[in-house]
Each structure stands twice: as structure tokens, then as C-alpha cells.
Amino acid sequence: MTNCPHCFSPLDPDLRLYRCPGPCESSTDPVASAHRGSQVVAFTTQGSKREGKGPWNPPPSVSCYRCRKEAGEICPVCHLELPRNWRAGRAVCVAMAGARATGKSVYLAVVVKQLEQMLQQMNSLLRFTTDEGRSTYTTNYEAHLYGQREIMPSTAPANVANAYQAVPMIISLGVINGVPQYLVLRDVAGEDLERPAGDQTYLSYFRRAHAVLFLFDPSAVPSVRELLRGIVPEQLMQPGDPVRVLHNLLSIIGDSSPPIAMILSKFDTLQELGVHEDRTWSTIMANPGAAFQRDPGFRETAYDSADAELLHLEVRSLLYLLGAQSFVNAMENPHRGRAYDHQFFSVSALGGAAKGEQLHLHGIAPFRCLDPLRWALARQGVIPAKSTVS
């Protein structure tokens, strides 16, 4: 069994739903529209379901009963289209979250490049499963960051026409252990999490994610912003409130328990504290033995649980020192009464603060960006986990 790349629901093996590609009569599909966050006009649907308990061989293809064209399979839950032969593989579904100007889109643009290099070390190739996903990445992510070498514009809310993040980015990781394996990455506008709409169906995929990557910018914390004053350039766009966004995200998740990666983004800004006049911070951030000072890089294809646990504890301690322990409390002592399954990470997608809208003159130097994805993939058994502790 695999999951829908749109709503992340497990696909019922005993149920198939198909949709005509046209030109049959079309109408608004309220189910698909609720999950997309904007209106979806669709054509005729028809289904096929197992009857009884005996063997069932679903038809390899279905023709529309009106126009006789081959129909495409859609998810029975959200009514959005499934890639061809989707059920033959397995998908690791990852949802990204964070406030405005946190760096989610920049992180996604960079981590795809790093994932491509890691897969080469695994004798595999990164391939986008759908033309729409490939176009979304090359046009909205790659072109800005690697072509024009500038910071990407803010992600539009889901209800804006043609909001590109409404289309999941589906990446084929190749055949692993005899099964086609996919990674699904879903981005979201910070505005959608800061002010969710009344009907939050379009955000319900967070509840069913195999991992939620929550990125928060340390400069959004007032005490940190004061420490960094004069050390790093002021951002053109101030980040949104990460505490409010995290609160809204946890409300959306509800009683579900997706693993949450708490990611301290733009970590290069904190690394600048290594030259701060405050000896406490200069000593902490200049420690060459700290896990947050080294990067395993893309050549490491396994998840190092011992290194990850050390980094987890270091970032947790940093948050207390920074006066940002509310992020720790939200994970360890939430109001629901039981802790979330979580791990702390630190990443820097660019490796240096941008100058206005332009990238740093030294270019893009990613730092520990693959860690959260390794964590998510290892939890699903896609890559091995190891421990450097003997």
C-alpha cells in the first residue's frame, strides 16, 4: 500500500476511482476543490471496487463510458490525479511548514540539488515523476536561485490561481529493495499557516505526513535579533511569527502524530556569533567539536543516528540559551498531554546571508540540509541508519 501524493492518505487497495480526461461534460468537484484550496473543474468519474473476499484483479485501464477515452486514476479521498502506475511503488510523503521569509522555498530548491548528488553516490538518478512537478521546480525554484542568483519571491497562498505549491513535487528515487521508491515534497505558503482559512481541508495532509519539516528563523526571536544586530545584514522582509505558525500547525495536526523535524534555519546567522564580543557566545559558536559545526555532506548516504542525537541535544540547548525554549516546550510538553515525536536540526541553505535580494558573493554553500530528509527516509526504511558510536 502506498499513499496519495496530494492528501497523503493511504490508498485503499480494494477501491479504484477514475476520471475522464475530457471532453465529457465537466463541473466543479467540491472534494478536489477542498483539498486543493481552490476551485477544481473536473470531468466524469467512475469507480471499481472489490466485491466479496475473493481474489480481485483491478482492470489495468478503464475507458470513459461516454467518450471511450482512457480514464486516469484519481485518489478516492481527495479526487486529485495519481501518476501513472503509482500504486506499484511506495512514497515517503514530506510536508514543509514555516512562517513567511523563513527560507522554506530556498531550502527546498537547494535540498533537491543535494539529494540528486546523494542519489548519485547510491548509483541512482533523481528524476521528477510528473512534467508538472519538473516544471514547478525548474521555473519557480531553480531558475530564481541558480539562474538569476537571487532570493525567491514569497510563495502565494493556496487560493491564488495557479499557486504552484498546490502541486506536490514527486521525485523518483529509483528502485530500492525491488520497489520503485518516491519522495513527495509539499511546500506551503507561510501566509496559509499564519492565517488558515475556515475550511482547512487543504492543509489536512499535514496529519498524514510521514514527516513534517518545520523551519523557523532564529532572527525572528527578539533576543537573537538583538544579538545579531550589526553582525548580519537586516532582511528586506521580516520573517513571520514562528510561534504563532507552530501553534496553528499543531492545531491542524490535532491528535495525529506525524514525526516533526524542528529545523533551525539560516543557521549561518548564528554561526556569525563565533566572533561576537560576548565571550559566552563566541566560545559556544566557535567550538570546532560541536556537531553544528560540521556537515556530513551529500556523500553520506546513511542516517547517522548518533550524530543526529548529538545535534538534537546541541540545538535544544541553543534554543534555551537564546530564550526560545517555547519551541522545545511545544514539542515536549504540549497541551495535548503527550510529547510529539520530534528531532531538532540546524541547516543553512545558502551558507551566508543574502545582500538584499542577491545571493552572497561566495555563492551557495549548503550546510546540513540533507539531515532532515535522511531522517525521514531512514524512518521509512528507504536508506539505512547507522551509529558512529561503537
Side-chain angles (χ1 to χ4, degrees), residues 16-17 27 39 60 63 86 200 226 229 245 284 302 316 333 367 380:
R16 301 286 193 277
L17 199 62
S27 60
Q39 186 182 43
S63 298
W86 183 249
Q200 298 177 9
E226 188 60 34
R229 191 178 301 278
V245 169
I284 291 171
R316 184 182 183 277
N333 299 297
F367 178 78
Q380 296 300 314

Side-chain angles (χ1 to χ4, degrees), residues 17-345:
L17 199 62
Y18 302 91
R19 173 169 288 149
C20 173
C24 291
E25 182 179 354
S26 63
S27 60
T28 298
D29 185 328
V31 174
S33 298
H35 281 275
R36 179 61 64 85
S38 59
Q39 186 182 43
V40 175
V41 176
F43 298 98
T44 308
T45 60
Q46 59 192 92
S48 178
K49 186 175 183 179
R50 179 198 293 268
E51 300 293 341
K53 297 182 179 180
W56 184 53
N57 293 314
S61 63
V62 171
S63 298
C64 175
Y65 65 89
R66 288 185 176 182
C67 68
R68 311 314 301 170
K69 285 188 176 182
E70 183 178 353
E73 188 178 0
I74 62 175
C75 171
V77 175
C78 69
H79 290 192
L80 294 171
E81 186 177 1
L82 299 176
R84 184 178 290 272
N85 300 322
W86 183 249
R87 290 178 183 260
R90 288 184 66 244
V92 177
C93 299
V94 175
M96 298 183 59
R100 286 174 292 110
T102 298
K104 297 187 308 300
S105 297
V106 172
Y107 171 78
L108 194 152
V110 169
V111 82
V112 167
K113 291 287 189 183
Q114 289 225 298
L115 182 63
E116 181 177 30
Q117 294 172 311
M118 189 182 87
L119 288 175
Q120 290 176 358
Q121 302 296 315
M122 299 169 64
N123 299 316
S124 186
L125 293 173
L126 182 146
R127 179 176 62 84
F128 288 96
T129 302
T130 64
D131 291 338
E132 196 171 12
R134 182 190 304 107
S135 176
T136 295
Y137 179 75
T138 56
T139 302
N140 299 290
Y141 295 90
E142 185 179 43
H144 282 284
L145 202 62
Y146 291 93
Q148 301 168 26
R149 296 182 58 79
E150 63 184 22
I151 297 299
M152 301 162 59
S154 299
T155 305
N159 60 5
V160 173
N162 301 318
Y164 61 81
Q165 79 281 0
V167 178
M169 201 173 294
I170 308 173
I171 295 171
S172 172
L173 304 178
V175 177
I176 299 175
N177 298 324
V179 179
Q181 188 68 60
Y182 302 95
L183 173 66
V184 181
L185 298 171
R186 289 214 58 179
D187 196 3
V188 65
E191 186 176 337
D192 282 327
L193 289 176
E194 289 177 27
R195 294 182 293 275
D199 181 0
Q200 298 177 9
T201 303
Y202 71 108
L203 297 172
S204 64
Y205 62 88
F206 279 104
R207 302 173 197 149
R208 298 176 287 272
H210 291 122
V212 174
L213 309 189
F214 179 78
L215 284 78
F216 55 103
D217 182 351
S219 68
V221 179
S223 58
V224 180
R225 190 159 54 244
E226 188 60 34
L227 273 172
L228 296 172
R229 191 178 301 278
I231 297 178
V232 297
E234 293 285 339
Q235 297 184 34
L236 292 179
M237 180 180 179
Q238 292 301 318
D241 183 355
V243 176
R244 177 182 178 182
V245 169
L246 180 59
H247 171 78
N248 291 341
L249 173 65
L250 297 182
S251 295
I252 292 166
I253 289 174
D255 291 332
S256 300
S257 298
I260 302 176
M262 297 290 290
I263 305 172
L264 196 57
S265 67
K266 303 181 182 179
F267 194 67
D268 54 276
T269 58
L270 289 185
Q271 289 173 324
E272 293 290 339
L273 292 176
V275 295
H276 198 280
E277 61 183 16
D278 185 319
R279 289 195 62 186
T280 300
W281 280 108
S282 62
T283 300
I284 291 171
M285 299 309 298
N287 179 8
F292 58 65
Q293 295 286 37
R294 57 179 183 268
D295 183 358
F298 59 81
R299 289 183 176 82
E300 178 58 74
T301 59
Y303 173 66
D304 189 333
S305 58
D307 180 65
E309 182 62 18
L310 179 59
L311 180 66
H312 167 83
L313 295 173
E314 289 178 355
V315 173
R316 184 182 183 277
S317 297
L318 281 177
L319 290 173
Y320 270 92
L321 290 170
L322 292 166
Q325 61 266 38
S326 58
F327 296 105
V328 178
N329 295 338
M331 292 292 101
E332 298 182 357
N333 299 297
H335 290 290
R336 70 175 190 171
R338 68 182 191 280
Y340 289 95
D341 180 0
H342 69 284
Q343 188 88 8
F344 285 106
F345 296 92

Side-chain angles (χ1 to χ4, degrees), residues 364-380:
I364 300 173
F367 178 78
R368 301 206 76 133
C369 286
L370 279 171
D371 287 359
L373 283 189
R374 286 198 190 97
W375 174 74
L377 294 172
R379 290 181 67 103
Q380 296 300 314

